[in-house]
Amino acid sequence: MVQPDQVKAAIHRAMPDAAVEVEDLTGGGDHLQVKVVSGAFAGLSRIRQHQLVYGALRQELASEAIHALALQTSTPS
């Protein structure tokens, strides 16, 4: 189980400008929906954007603290 603030902090370490929203979908802390808005995504495909977030959460995913992750990524408007 991972806390939403831990997820936000991990993403902010990789993308300091990111606006991050974390929703626990099941109440167990391991199925999350995460929305990330960052200038770091400019010019990148959706796949590459998601890879950046996966990279930021590598440890949490590898340890299975996060079992399922639904992502929405975008650039600031």
Side-chain angles (χ1 to χ4, degrees):
M1 181 168 149
V2 65
Q3 298 298 317
D5 287 343
Q6 292 172 298
V7 173
K8 289 180 184 181
I11 294 171
H12 281 137
R13 281 191 295 276
M15 293 171 271
D17 74 319
V20 182
E21 295 178 27
V22 180
E23 181 182 352
D24 184 345
L25 297 176
T26 63
D30 62 346
H31 288 71
L32 305 176
Q33 178 171 310
V34 178
K35 296 178 184 177
V36 183
V37 179
S38 174
F41 298 145
L44 300 179
S45 69
R46 184 73 40 135
I47 291 170
R48 186 67 185 119
Q49 291 175 19
H50 287 204
Q51 287 173 336
L52 287 177
V53 178
Y54 293 143
L57 298 172
R58 177 181 19 242
Q59 183 176 0
E60 291 82 356
L61 291 165
S63 70
E64 295 188 12
I66 298 174
H67 178 72
L69 181 62
L71 284 178
Q72 292 181 323
T73 56
S74 62
T75 56
S77 10

